[in-house]
């Protein structure tokens, strides 16, 4: 049986076009064929998790059964009771499979890698979000088929963007008006073609043509060299165009299906400061961390008056958020350093913004300072990606 | 209610500019951030008795003083 990874080659897009055609026609007439959507989603999931990847297919089924039992058991519990201990237990259980998968390479427990499958992180983010919203009382009812469609929505299964349950269900439960769908369809097709440019032209140019060369030269020069600087820029460009390209495919495909999956990137390299950058880069992930980790933690600290100073509180929040984000990327020193680096960058940024507010009159603000801010932010970010790439590990420690 | 909301906002941002322009963009301009949002939600809870869980907070519905006032009035 054949296996196909999402958006990897022209054949996949051809299948996508054929598979989505009936959905497009239905939506153009204001109808959503839910049974057909379920069948076609299943077909695409089998393409991704079948064939020689069948072990991942088994993992994802086992994983889903556990998580669905957890979600519905917690929902049932929450209807009559609301203990913090049970809530924390539910969150821990929800992330446990992901934690085990992340620990596998660290301890080299080979047999455990059986649990892993493409996109486990992204489904886990969605599950945790549902559990937290059940706790908050913003989700009171769950539709089994709706949850399944949300968790397994195939255009975003491998790497997001991370949608929100209530937002997704609103789209999924109805067909958009014809006029609106025409606009969505136009945008969706445009995004997919922009994705081709990003992923198959620009990411290819930076990642496949240039990166191996600068990498070889930097390793040959050893230590800090102009080639290392070149590597930093090339890697940053490759990372952006590759991931933004993929995200455009995922969002574009969703739009074609009449689902407004949120965008993941918004011109990140014109950010004016690091805070602004995180509102533009991998947005659905940073907003997830903001809403479900940072804000909840700060809310808790403030309500219980655990910490007096609001500055300290914000900084504890940043450190927690970025350390978890670093650990989530993987248990290596460079991902953890990457997390701390961004936490400190944002702490410094906040301090600067406070200083700026106090001295509004003395600090100039013009076209030049604006360009300076953008260039500085870009370089702070590029350096963080150099840490993230693991290239420094290869260069200095291998 | 309007005054209470504006007092809360002025208090959190440490600036009276929020009173002058009720349609000013609060998030894009950096006047409010996540930290200030949490403070605002807690103050609204204590002073106006309205509860907005963090997971129900949609920034686009709260991004100007006027929108916040409307939101609070609709909930109070």
């Amino acid at each position: 049986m054949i296996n196909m990874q999402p958006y990897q080659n022209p054949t996949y897009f051809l299948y996508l076009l054929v598979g989505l055609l009936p959905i497009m026609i239905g939506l153009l007439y204001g109808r959503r064929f839910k049974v057909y959507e379920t069948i076609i989603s299943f077909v695409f999931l089998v393409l991704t998790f079948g064939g020689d990847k069948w072990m991942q297919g088994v993992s994802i089924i086992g994983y889903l059964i556990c998580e669905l039992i957890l979600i519905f058991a917690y929902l049932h519990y929450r209807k009559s009771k609301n203990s913090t201990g049970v809530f924390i237990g539910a969150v821990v259980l929800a992330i446990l499979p992901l934690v085990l998968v992340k620990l596998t390479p660290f301890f080299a427990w080979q047999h455990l890698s059986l649990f892993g499958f493409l996109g486990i992180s992204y489904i886990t983010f969605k599950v945790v979000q549902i559990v937290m919203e059940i706790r908050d009382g913003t989700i009171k009812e769950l539709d089994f088929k709706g949850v399944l469609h949300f968790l397994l929505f195939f255009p975003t299964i491998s790497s997001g963007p991370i949608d929100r349950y209530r937002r997704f269900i609103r789209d999924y439960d109805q067909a958009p008006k014809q006029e609106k769908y025409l606009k969505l369809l136009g945008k969706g097709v445009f995004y997919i073609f922009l994705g081709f440019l990003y992923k198959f032209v620009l990411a290819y140019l930076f990642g496949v043509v240039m990166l191996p060369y600068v990498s070889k030269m930097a390793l040959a020069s050893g230590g800090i060299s102009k080639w290392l600087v070149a590597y930093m820029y090339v890697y940053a460009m490759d990372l952006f165009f590759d991931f933004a390209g993929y995200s455009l495919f995922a969002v574009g495909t969703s739009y074609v299906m009449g689902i407004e999956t949120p965008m993941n990137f918004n011109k990140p390299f014109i950010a004016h400061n690091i805070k602004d950058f995180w509102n533009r880069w991998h947005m659905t992930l940073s907003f997830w961390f903001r809403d479900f980790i940072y804000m909840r933690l700060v809310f808790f600290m403030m309500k219980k008056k655990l910490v007096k100073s609001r500055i300290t509180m914000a900084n504890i929040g940043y450190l927690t958020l970025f350390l978890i984000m670093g650990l989530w990327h993987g248990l290596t020193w460079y991902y953890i350093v990457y997390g701390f680096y961004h936490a400190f960058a944002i702490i410094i940024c906040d301090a600067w913004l406070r200083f700026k507010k106090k001295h509004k009159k003395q600090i100039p603000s013009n076209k030049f300072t604006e360009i300076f801010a953008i260039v500085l932010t870009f370089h702070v970010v590029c350096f963080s990606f150099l840490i993230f790439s693991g290239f420094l590990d290869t260069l200095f420690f291998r | 209610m309007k005054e209470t909301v504006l007092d809360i906002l002025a208090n959190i941002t440490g600036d009276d500019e929020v009173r002058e322009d009720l349609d000013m963009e609060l998030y894009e301009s950096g006047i409010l951030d996540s930290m200030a949002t949490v403070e605002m939600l807690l103050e609204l809870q204590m002073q106006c008795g309205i509860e907005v869980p963090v997971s129900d907070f949609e920034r686009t519905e709260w991004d100007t003083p006027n929108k916040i006032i409307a939101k609070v009035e609709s909930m109070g």
Side-chain angles (χ1 to χ4, degrees), chain A residues 136 138 166 275 290-291 294-295 298-299 302-303 310 314 357 360, chain B residues 12-13 15 33-35 37-39 42 45 53-56 59:
Chain A
D136 287 355
T138 48
R166 286 179 294 149
K275 232 170 159 176
R290 179 192 76 195
D291 294 349
Y294 179 88
M295 284 177 75
V298 170
F299 195 91
M302 211 182 268
K303 197 167 183 184
R310 48 183 290 188
K357 201 169 177 180
K360 238 183 225 164
Chain B
I12 291 168
T13 58
D15 207 321
D33 61 4
S34 307
M35 181 75 198
T37 303
V38 173
E39 283 185 286
L42 272 172
Q45 204 177 70
V54 173
S55 55
D56 212 19
R59 280 190 187 204

PDB file of all heavy atoms in Angstrom, chain A residues 136 138 166 275 290-291 294-295 298-299 302-303 310 314 357 360, chain B residues 12-13 15 33-35 37-39 42 45 53-56 59:
ATOM      1  N   ASP A 136     -12.659  25.618  32.627  1.00  0.00           N
ATOM      2  CA  ASP A 136     -13.148  27.002  32.700  1.00  0.00           C
ATOM      3  C   ASP A 136     -14.653  27.105  32.511  1.00  0.00           C
ATOM      4  O   ASP A 136     -15.231  28.168  32.722  1.00  0.00           O
ATOM      5  CB  ASP A 136     -12.470  27.859  31.615  1.00  0.00           C
ATOM      6  CG  ASP A 136     -11.030  28.151  31.947  1.00  0.00           C
ATOM      7  OD1 ASP A 136     -10.597  27.774  33.059  1.00  0.00           O
ATOM      8  OD2 ASP A 136     -10.326  28.748  31.109  1.00  0.00           O
ATOM      9  N   THR A 138     -16.034  26.998  29.615  1.00  0.00           N
ATOM     10  CA  THR A 138     -16.337  27.580  28.306  1.00  0.00           C
ATOM     11  C   THR A 138     -16.717  26.474  27.313  1.00  0.00           C
ATOM     12  O   THR A 138     -17.305  26.746  26.286  1.00  0.00           O
ATOM     13  CB  THR A 138     -15.146  28.387  27.756  1.00  0.00           C
ATOM     14  OG1 THR A 138     -13.961  27.607  27.891  1.00  0.00           O
ATOM     15  CG2 THR A 138     -14.978  29.670  28.521  1.00  0.00           C
ATOM     16  N   ARG A 166     -13.882  25.463  19.776  1.00  0.00           N
ATOM     17  CA  ARG A 166     -15.151  26.156  19.536  1.00  0.00           C
ATOM     18  C   ARG A 166     -15.160  26.891  18.203  1.00  0.00           C
ATOM     19  O   ARG A 166     -16.163  26.964  17.527  1.00  0.00           O
ATOM     20  CB  ARG A 166     -15.454  27.115  20.692  1.00  0.00           C
ATOM     21  CG  ARG A 166     -15.894  26.364  21.952  1.00  0.00           C
ATOM     22  CD  ARG A 166     -16.173  27.310  23.075  1.00  0.00           C
ATOM     23  NE  ARG A 166     -14.966  27.991  23.515  1.00  0.00           N
ATOM     24  CZ  ARG A 166     -14.945  29.219  24.023  1.00  0.00           C
ATOM     25  NH1 ARG A 166     -16.065  29.904  24.125  1.00  0.00           N
ATOM     26  NH2 ARG A 166     -13.818  29.766  24.404  1.00  0.00           N
ATOM     27  N   LYS A 275       8.783  40.898  21.366  1.00  0.00           N
ATOM     28  CA  LYS A 275       7.395  40.622  21.734  1.00  0.00           C
ATOM     29  C   LYS A 275       6.518  40.631  20.484  1.00  0.00           C
ATOM     30  O   LYS A 275       5.675  39.767  20.289  1.00  0.00           O
ATOM     31  CB  LYS A 275       6.922  41.719  22.680  1.00  0.00           C
ATOM     32  CG  LYS A 275       6.312  41.203  23.947  1.00  0.00           C
ATOM     33  CD  LYS A 275       6.124  42.377  24.878  1.00  0.00           C
ATOM     34  CE  LYS A 275       5.086  42.050  25.902  1.00  0.00           C
ATOM     35  NZ  LYS A 275       4.956  43.132  26.872  1.00  0.00           N
ATOM     36  N   ARG A 290       0.721  31.411  25.181  1.00  0.00           N
ATOM     37  CA  ARG A 290       0.286  32.631  25.870  1.00  0.00           C
ATOM     38  C   ARG A 290      -0.996  32.370  26.666  1.00  0.00           C
ATOM     39  O   ARG A 290      -1.078  32.661  27.850  1.00  0.00           O
ATOM     40  CB  ARG A 290       0.037  33.725  24.821  1.00  0.00           C
ATOM     41  CG  ARG A 290      -0.437  35.043  25.389  1.00  0.00           C
ATOM     42  CD  ARG A 290      -0.928  35.966  24.277  1.00  0.00           C
ATOM     43  NE  ARG A 290      -2.247  35.558  23.791  1.00  0.00           N
ATOM     44  CZ  ARG A 290      -2.797  35.987  22.660  1.00  0.00           C
ATOM     45  NH1 ARG A 290      -2.134  36.804  21.862  1.00  0.00           N
ATOM     46  NH2 ARG A 290      -3.997  35.588  22.299  1.00  0.00           N
ATOM     47  N   ASP A 291      -1.992  31.790  25.996  1.00  0.00           N
ATOM     48  CA  ASP A 291      -3.306  31.643  26.627  1.00  0.00           C
ATOM     49  C   ASP A 291      -3.357  30.522  27.655  1.00  0.00           C
ATOM     50  O   ASP A 291      -4.034  30.654  28.672  1.00  0.00           O
ATOM     51  CB  ASP A 291      -4.386  31.375  25.565  1.00  0.00           C
ATOM     52  CG  ASP A 291      -4.580  32.563  24.651  1.00  0.00           C
ATOM     53  OD1 ASP A 291      -4.030  33.645  24.967  1.00  0.00           O
ATOM     54  OD2 ASP A 291      -5.267  32.434  23.624  1.00  0.00           O
ATOM     55  N   TYR A 294       1.120  30.994  29.952  1.00  0.00           N
ATOM     56  CA  TYR A 294       1.517  32.273  30.527  1.00  0.00           C
ATOM     57  C   TYR A 294       0.377  32.965  31.277  1.00  0.00           C
ATOM     58  O   TYR A 294       0.482  33.271  32.458  1.00  0.00           O
ATOM     59  CB  TYR A 294       2.060  33.181  29.422  1.00  0.00           C
ATOM     60  CG  TYR A 294       2.491  34.548  29.907  1.00  0.00           C
ATOM     61  CD1 TYR A 294       3.789  34.751  30.364  1.00  0.00           C
ATOM     62  CD2 TYR A 294       1.615  35.618  29.918  1.00  0.00           C
ATOM     63  CE1 TYR A 294       4.188  35.987  30.811  1.00  0.00           C
ATOM     64  CE2 TYR A 294       2.003  36.863  30.376  1.00  0.00           C
ATOM     65  CZ  TYR A 294       3.293  37.046  30.818  1.00  0.00           C
ATOM     66  OH  TYR A 294       3.685  38.278  31.268  1.00  0.00           O
ATOM     67  N   MET A 295      -0.738  33.191  30.594  1.00  0.00           N
ATOM     68  CA  MET A 295      -1.817  33.947  31.216  1.00  0.00           C
ATOM     69  C   MET A 295      -2.443  33.200  32.399  1.00  0.00           C
ATOM     70  O   MET A 295      -2.795  33.806  33.403  1.00  0.00           O
ATOM     71  CB  MET A 295      -2.874  34.329  30.184  1.00  0.00           C
ATOM     72  CG  MET A 295      -2.395  35.491  29.308  1.00  0.00           C
ATOM     73  SD  MET A 295      -3.523  35.962  28.007  1.00  0.00           S
ATOM     74  CE  MET A 295      -4.793  36.815  28.892  1.00  0.00           C
ATOM     75  N   VAL A 298       0.063  33.556  35.321  1.00  0.00           N
ATOM     76  CA  VAL A 298       0.035  34.911  35.878  1.00  0.00           C
ATOM     77  C   VAL A 298      -1.283  35.147  36.636  1.00  0.00           C
ATOM     78  O   VAL A 298      -1.283  35.701  37.740  1.00  0.00           O
ATOM     79  CB  VAL A 298       0.225  35.963  34.755  1.00  0.00           C
ATOM     80  CG1 VAL A 298      -0.054  37.351  35.269  1.00  0.00           C
ATOM     81  CG2 VAL A 298       1.636  35.898  34.184  1.00  0.00           C
ATOM     82  N   PHE A 299      -2.369  34.680  36.076  1.00  0.00           N
ATOM     83  CA  PHE A 299      -3.682  34.817  36.714  1.00  0.00           C
ATOM     84  C   PHE A 299      -3.660  34.153  38.095  1.00  0.00           C
ATOM     85  O   PHE A 299      -4.101  34.732  39.090  1.00  0.00           O
ATOM     86  CB  PHE A 299      -4.740  34.147  35.836  1.00  0.00           C
ATOM     87  CG  PHE A 299      -6.159  34.514  36.187  1.00  0.00           C
ATOM     88  CD1 PHE A 299      -6.784  35.592  35.579  1.00  0.00           C
ATOM     89  CD2 PHE A 299      -6.875  33.785  37.129  1.00  0.00           C
ATOM     90  CE1 PHE A 299      -8.087  35.939  35.894  1.00  0.00           C
ATOM     91  CE2 PHE A 299      -8.177  34.123  37.459  1.00  0.00           C
ATOM     92  CZ  PHE A 299      -8.787  35.200  36.836  1.00  0.00           C
ATOM     93  N   MET A 302      -1.393  36.065  40.545  1.00  0.00           N
ATOM     94  CA  MET A 302      -1.963  37.356  40.926  1.00  0.00           C
ATOM     95  C   MET A 302      -3.134  37.161  41.880  1.00  0.00           C
ATOM     96  O   MET A 302      -3.281  37.868  42.864  1.00  0.00           O
ATOM     97  CB  MET A 302      -2.419  38.079  39.663  1.00  0.00           C
ATOM     98  CG  MET A 302      -2.334  39.582  39.753  1.00  0.00           C
ATOM     99  SD  MET A 302      -2.943  40.313  38.243  1.00  0.00           S
ATOM    100  CE  MET A 302      -1.480  40.479  37.290  1.00  0.00           C
ATOM    101  N   LYS A 303      -3.966  36.181  41.588  1.00  0.00           N
ATOM    102  CA  LYS A 303      -5.151  35.946  42.396  1.00  0.00           C
ATOM    103  C   LYS A 303      -4.775  35.465  43.787  1.00  0.00           C
ATOM    104  O   LYS A 303      -5.340  35.907  44.785  1.00  0.00           O
ATOM    105  CB  LYS A 303      -6.057  34.924  41.699  1.00  0.00           C
ATOM    106  CG  LYS A 303      -7.459  34.958  42.259  1.00  0.00           C
ATOM    107  CD  LYS A 303      -8.434  34.208  41.405  1.00  0.00           C
ATOM    108  CE  LYS A 303      -9.822  34.367  42.030  1.00  0.00           C
ATOM    109  NZ  LYS A 303     -10.830  33.610  41.326  1.00  0.00           N
ATOM    110  N   ARG A 310       4.595  42.977  39.937  1.00  0.00           N
ATOM    111  CA  ARG A 310       4.040  42.506  38.667  1.00  0.00           C
ATOM    112  C   ARG A 310       5.146  42.236  37.651  1.00  0.00           C
ATOM    113  O   ARG A 310       4.983  41.424  36.742  1.00  0.00           O
ATOM    114  CB  ARG A 310       2.993  43.478  38.110  1.00  0.00           C
ATOM    115  CG  ARG A 310       3.443  44.918  38.104  1.00  0.00           C
ATOM    116  CD  ARG A 310       2.350  45.815  37.622  1.00  0.00           C
ATOM    117  NE  ARG A 310       2.103  45.641  36.206  1.00  0.00           N
ATOM    118  CZ  ARG A 310       1.314  46.408  35.499  1.00  0.00           C
ATOM    119  NH1 ARG A 310       0.667  47.380  36.084  1.00  0.00           N
ATOM    120  NH2 ARG A 310       1.140  46.217  34.220  1.00  0.00           N
ATOM    121  N   ALA A 314       5.547  38.736  35.712  1.00  0.00           N
ATOM    122  CA  ALA A 314       5.632  38.610  34.255  1.00  0.00           C
ATOM    123  C   ALA A 314       6.879  37.815  33.876  1.00  0.00           C
ATOM    124  O   ALA A 314       6.830  36.930  33.012  1.00  0.00           O
ATOM    125  CB  ALA A 314       5.666  39.988  33.604  1.00  0.00           C
ATOM    126  N   LYS A 357       8.506  54.203  28.052  1.00  0.00           N
ATOM    127  CA  LYS A 357       7.244  54.834  28.428  1.00  0.00           C
ATOM    128  C   LYS A 357       7.497  55.992  29.401  1.00  0.00           C
ATOM    129  O   LYS A 357       6.862  57.042  29.309  1.00  0.00           O
ATOM    130  CB  LYS A 357       6.351  53.782  29.084  1.00  0.00           C
ATOM    131  CG  LYS A 357       4.883  54.141  29.058  1.00  0.00           C
ATOM    132  CD  LYS A 357       4.069  52.943  29.482  1.00  0.00           C
ATOM    133  CE  LYS A 357       2.606  53.280  29.537  1.00  0.00           C
ATOM    134  NZ  LYS A 357       1.812  52.129  29.956  1.00  0.00           N
ATOM    135  N   LYS A 360       9.328  59.108  27.478  1.00  0.00           N
ATOM    136  CA  LYS A 360       8.744  59.310  26.146  1.00  0.00           C
ATOM    137  C   LYS A 360       9.334  60.511  25.414  1.00  0.00           C
ATOM    138  O   LYS A 360       9.612  60.451  24.228  1.00  0.00           O
ATOM    139  CB  LYS A 360       7.235  59.527  26.298  1.00  0.00           C
ATOM    140  CG  LYS A 360       6.390  58.519  25.529  1.00  0.00           C
ATOM    141  CD  LYS A 360       4.932  58.868  25.702  1.00  0.00           C
ATOM    142  CE  LYS A 360       4.134  57.624  26.002  1.00  0.00           C
ATOM    143  NZ  LYS A 360       2.816  57.918  26.546  1.00  0.00           N
TER     144      LYS A 360
ATOM    145  N   ILE B  12      -4.158  50.469  35.365  1.00  0.00           N
ATOM    146  CA  ILE B  12      -3.270  49.401  34.889  1.00  0.00           C
ATOM    147  C   ILE B  12      -2.180  49.940  33.968  1.00  0.00           C
ATOM    148  O   ILE B  12      -1.017  49.582  34.088  1.00  0.00           O
ATOM    149  CB  ILE B  12      -4.079  48.307  34.154  1.00  0.00           C
ATOM    150  CG1 ILE B  12      -4.966  47.545  35.148  1.00  0.00           C
ATOM    151  CG2 ILE B  12      -3.161  47.340  33.433  1.00  0.00           C
ATOM    152  CD1 ILE B  12      -5.979  46.659  34.480  1.00  0.00           C
ATOM    153  N   THR B  13      -2.591  50.825  33.050  1.00  0.00           N
ATOM    154  CA  THR B  13      -1.609  51.320  32.082  1.00  0.00           C
ATOM    155  C   THR B  13      -0.781  52.464  32.668  1.00  0.00           C
ATOM    156  O   THR B  13       0.225  52.850  32.090  1.00  0.00           O
ATOM    157  CB  THR B  13      -2.298  51.821  30.789  1.00  0.00           C
ATOM    158  OG1 THR B  13      -3.237  52.855  31.143  1.00  0.00           O
ATOM    159  CG2 THR B  13      -3.051  50.698  30.105  1.00  0.00           C
ATOM    160  N   ASP B  15      -1.584  55.538  32.864  1.00  0.00           N
ATOM    161  CA  ASP B  15      -1.637  56.649  31.912  1.00  0.00           C
ATOM    162  C   ASP B  15      -3.098  57.031  31.676  1.00  0.00           C
ATOM    163  O   ASP B  15      -3.955  56.155  31.587  1.00  0.00           O
ATOM    164  CB  ASP B  15      -1.012  56.182  30.586  1.00  0.00           C
ATOM    165  CG  ASP B  15      -0.433  57.347  29.813  1.00  0.00           C
ATOM    166  OD1 ASP B  15      -1.073  58.420  29.823  1.00  0.00           O
ATOM    167  OD2 ASP B  15       0.641  57.179  29.212  1.00  0.00           O
ATOM    168  N   ASP B  33      -0.919  44.343  27.279  1.00  0.00           N
ATOM    169  CA  ASP B  33      -0.313  43.069  26.880  1.00  0.00           C
ATOM    170  C   ASP B  33      -0.960  41.967  27.711  1.00  0.00           C
ATOM    171  O   ASP B  33      -1.931  42.225  28.426  1.00  0.00           O
ATOM    172  CB  ASP B  33       1.215  43.126  27.036  1.00  0.00           C
ATOM    173  CG  ASP B  33       1.640  43.390  28.472  1.00  0.00           C
ATOM    174  OD1 ASP B  33       0.771  43.458  29.361  1.00  0.00           O
ATOM    175  OD2 ASP B  33       2.849  43.540  28.706  1.00  0.00           O
ATOM    176  N   SER B  34      -0.418  40.762  27.634  1.00  0.00           N
ATOM    177  CA  SER B  34      -1.039  39.640  28.348  1.00  0.00           C
ATOM    178  C   SER B  34      -1.126  39.903  29.844  1.00  0.00           C
ATOM    179  O   SER B  34      -2.135  39.632  30.490  1.00  0.00           O
ATOM    180  CB  SER B  34      -0.230  38.371  28.113  1.00  0.00           C
ATOM    181  OG  SER B  34      -0.041  38.165  26.752  1.00  0.00           O
ATOM    182  N   MET B  35      -0.032  40.442  30.387  1.00  0.00           N
ATOM    183  CA  MET B  35       0.037  40.734  31.823  1.00  0.00           C
ATOM    184  C   MET B  35      -1.078  41.719  32.213  1.00  0.00           C
ATOM    185  O   MET B  35      -1.826  41.481  33.161  1.00  0.00           O
ATOM    186  CB  MET B  35       1.420  41.361  32.079  1.00  0.00           C
ATOM    187  CG  MET B  35       1.686  41.711  33.488  1.00  0.00           C
ATOM    188  SD  MET B  35       2.038  40.225  34.425  1.00  0.00           S
ATOM    189  CE  MET B  35       1.748  40.876  36.051  1.00  0.00           C
ATOM    190  N   THR B  37      -3.718  42.332  30.624  1.00  0.00           N
ATOM    191  CA  THR B  37      -5.028  41.716  30.393  1.00  0.00           C
ATOM    192  C   THR B  37      -5.472  40.944  31.628  1.00  0.00           C
ATOM    193  O   THR B  37      -6.617  41.054  32.070  1.00  0.00           O
ATOM    194  CB  THR B  37      -4.951  40.746  29.193  1.00  0.00           C
ATOM    195  OG1 THR B  37      -4.496  41.478  28.059  1.00  0.00           O
ATOM    196  CG2 THR B  37      -6.303  40.130  28.903  1.00  0.00           C
ATOM    197  N   VAL B  38      -4.540  40.177  32.200  1.00  0.00           N
ATOM    198  CA  VAL B  38      -4.876  39.409  33.401  1.00  0.00           C
ATOM    199  C   VAL B  38      -5.275  40.352  34.531  1.00  0.00           C
ATOM    200  O   VAL B  38      -6.271  40.133  35.229  1.00  0.00           O
ATOM    201  CB  VAL B  38      -3.679  38.514  33.817  1.00  0.00           C
ATOM    202  CG1 VAL B  38      -3.956  37.849  35.152  1.00  0.00           C
ATOM    203  CG2 VAL B  38      -3.412  37.467  32.756  1.00  0.00           C
ATOM    204  N   GLU B  39      -4.515  41.455  34.686  1.00  0.00           N
ATOM    205  CA  GLU B  39      -4.862  42.437  35.722  1.00  0.00           C
ATOM    206  C   GLU B  39      -6.254  42.992  35.496  1.00  0.00           C
ATOM    207  O   GLU B  39      -7.056  43.118  36.419  1.00  0.00           O
ATOM    208  CB  GLU B  39      -3.859  43.591  35.695  1.00  0.00           C
ATOM    209  CG  GLU B  39      -2.529  43.265  36.319  1.00  0.00           C
ATOM    210  CD  GLU B  39      -1.638  44.493  36.354  1.00  0.00           C
ATOM    211  OE1 GLU B  39      -1.143  44.862  35.268  1.00  0.00           O
ATOM    212  OE2 GLU B  39      -1.452  45.076  37.435  1.00  0.00           O
ATOM    213  N   LEU B  42      -8.953  40.464  36.386  1.00  0.00           N
ATOM    214  CA  LEU B  42      -9.112  40.313  37.837  1.00  0.00           C
ATOM    215  C   LEU B  42      -9.821  41.519  38.446  1.00  0.00           C
ATOM    216  O   LEU B  42     -10.688  41.366  39.301  1.00  0.00           O
ATOM    217  CB  LEU B  42      -7.744  40.121  38.497  1.00  0.00           C
ATOM    218  CG  LEU B  42      -7.258  38.676  38.586  1.00  0.00           C
ATOM    219  CD1 LEU B  42      -5.832  38.627  39.067  1.00  0.00           C
ATOM    220  CD2 LEU B  42      -8.151  37.863  39.524  1.00  0.00           C
ATOM    221  N   GLN B  45     -13.413  41.419  37.662  1.00  0.00           N
ATOM    222  CA  GLN B  45     -14.060  40.422  38.508  1.00  0.00           C
ATOM    223  C   GLN B  45     -14.372  41.014  39.889  1.00  0.00           C
ATOM    224  O   GLN B  45     -15.478  40.869  40.399  1.00  0.00           O
ATOM    225  CB  GLN B  45     -13.098  39.242  38.651  1.00  0.00           C
ATOM    226  CG  GLN B  45     -13.766  37.935  38.989  1.00  0.00           C
ATOM    227  CD  GLN B  45     -12.744  36.802  39.051  1.00  0.00           C
ATOM    228  OE1 GLN B  45     -11.917  36.746  39.954  1.00  0.00           O
ATOM    229  NE2 GLN B  45     -12.769  35.930  38.079  1.00  0.00           N
ATOM    230  N   PRO B  53     -13.283  33.908  31.841  1.00  0.00           N
ATOM    231  CA  PRO B  53     -12.140  32.992  31.885  1.00  0.00           C
ATOM    232  C   PRO B  53     -11.123  33.375  30.810  1.00  0.00           C
ATOM    233  O   PRO B  53     -11.512  33.879  29.743  1.00  0.00           O
ATOM    234  CB  PRO B  53     -12.758  31.630  31.556  1.00  0.00           C
ATOM    235  CG  PRO B  53     -14.223  31.801  31.640  1.00  0.00           C
ATOM    236  CD  PRO B  53     -14.521  33.244  31.432  1.00  0.00           C
ATOM    237  N   VAL B  54      -9.847  33.135  31.100  1.00  0.00           N
ATOM    238  CA  VAL B  54      -8.798  33.477  30.141  1.00  0.00           C
ATOM    239  C   VAL B  54      -9.055  32.804  28.786  1.00  0.00           C
ATOM    240  O   VAL B  54      -8.839  33.386  27.734  1.00  0.00           O
ATOM    241  CB  VAL B  54      -7.418  33.068  30.703  1.00  0.00           C
ATOM    242  CG1 VAL B  54      -6.336  33.255  29.669  1.00  0.00           C
ATOM    243  CG2 VAL B  54      -7.096  33.885  31.942  1.00  0.00           C
ATOM    244  N   SER B  55      -9.568  31.565  28.845  1.00  0.00           N
ATOM    245  CA  SER B  55      -9.781  30.849  27.587  1.00  0.00           C
ATOM    246  C   SER B  55     -10.953  31.401  26.774  1.00  0.00           C
ATOM    247  O   SER B  55     -11.185  30.991  25.652  1.00  0.00           O
ATOM    248  CB  SER B  55      -9.988  29.355  27.848  1.00  0.00           C
ATOM    249  OG  SER B  55     -11.042  29.152  28.752  1.00  0.00           O
ATOM    250  N   ASP B  56     -11.707  32.322  27.369  1.00  0.00           N
ATOM    251  CA  ASP B  56     -12.824  32.903  26.628  1.00  0.00           C
ATOM    252  C   ASP B  56     -12.500  34.320  26.171  1.00  0.00           C
ATOM    253  O   ASP B  56     -13.335  35.016  25.633  1.00  0.00           O
ATOM    254  CB  ASP B  56     -14.078  32.923  27.519  1.00  0.00           C
ATOM    255  CG  ASP B  56     -15.344  32.740  26.704  1.00  0.00           C
ATOM    256  OD1 ASP B  56     -15.246  32.252  25.567  1.00  0.00           O
ATOM    257  OD2 ASP B  56     -16.417  33.105  27.201  1.00  0.00           O
ATOM    258  N   ARG B  59      -9.021  38.627  21.975  1.00  0.00           N
ATOM    259  CA  ARG B  59      -8.454  39.982  21.941  1.00  0.00           C
ATOM    260  C   ARG B  59      -9.206  40.938  21.024  1.00  0.00           C
ATOM    261  O   ARG B  59      -9.381  42.109  21.352  1.00  0.00           O
ATOM    262  CB  ARG B  59      -6.986  39.941  21.509  1.00  0.00           C
ATOM    263  CG  ARG B  59      -6.098  39.565  22.643  1.00  0.00           C
ATOM    264  CD  ARG B  59      -4.646  39.758  22.321  1.00  0.00           C
ATOM    265  NE  ARG B  59      -3.883  39.200  23.438  1.00  0.00           N
ATOM    266  CZ  ARG B  59      -2.643  39.550  23.757  1.00  0.00           C
ATOM    267  NH1 ARG B  59      -2.010  40.434  23.032  1.00  0.00           N
ATOM    268  NH2 ARG B  59      -2.039  39.013  24.786  1.00  0.00           N
TER     269      ARG B  59
END
